[in-house]
Amino acid sequence: MSFAADAEMQFLDRFLFAVYLTIAVGMCHWQVTGGAGFIGSHLVDALMLMGHEVTVVDNFFTGRKRNVEHWIGHENFELITHDIVTPLHLESRY
Ligand SMILES: NC(=O)c1ccc[n+]([C@@H]2O[C@H](COP(=O)([O-])OP(=O)(O)OC[C@H]3O[C@@H](n4cnc5c(N)ncnc54)[C@H](O)[C@@H]3O)[C@@H](O)[C@H]2O)c1
């Protein structure tokens, strides 16, 4: 199998696992630390598209607001500027 096909299979596996988790667990409230970064913002996109509630906590040390700005204003999305070195207490209805 070529590298591209292998990567596609891995992506499909992860996507199906995420769908399975959503069905099994239901909707959740996720906190994504570093959610304004490269990897975190893709995770945020996937979770938001699945209909989850997402709170991004980021100190914007290397992350960029533009990575998540398309979700700002969405009822399921919250963005908190915070450095996780110090404790953060969040409430969730789940
Ligand atoms: N287009 C591209 O291909 C591309 C773009 C960006 C990065 N990359 C690469 O992707 C790799 C992984 O990127 P990544 O997502 O791990 O890094 P990242 O720097 O993009 O994301 C880390 C996130 O964590 C945040 N963060 C760091 N310390 C924190 C703290 N104490 N409290 C709160 N938030 C904190 C940062 O502000 C950032 O938003 C890197 O090797 C990078 O070079 C590739």
Side-chain angles (χ1 to χ4, degrees):
M1 191 181 287
S2 71
F3 177 75
D6 197 37
E8 261 177 46
M9 284 303 293
Q10 278 184 20
F11 176 80
L12 189 63
D13 276 355
R14 285 178 196 156
F15 177 75
L16 289 175
F17 181 66
V19 171
Y20 167 77
L21 263 186
T22 301
I23 293 166
V25 179
M27 289 306 139
C28 294
H29 182 179
W30 297 83
Q31 178 193 315
V32 183
T33 306
F38 179 63
I39 292 172
S41 60
H42 284 90
L43 177 60
V44 169
D45 287 344
L47 292 170
M48 287 295 294
L49 289 172
M50 280 188 257
H52 294 288
E53 284 187 27
V54 177
T55 298
V56 166
V57 180
D58 204 298
N59 65 357
F60 293 99
F61 189 69
T62 56
R64 295 287 170 263
K65 202 171 189 176
R66 67 168 178 265
N67 289 338
V68 290
E69 70 186 357
H70 46 289
W71 295 119
I72 293 173
H74 192 291
E75 60 181 352
N76 289 351
F77 182 78
E78 187 179 14
L79 178 60
I80 298 175
T81 304
H82 181 82
D83 192 315
I84 54 151
V85 168
T86 56
L88 175 66
H89 300 283
L90 296 174
E91 288 189 10
S92 171
R93 67 179 127 116
Y94 295 100

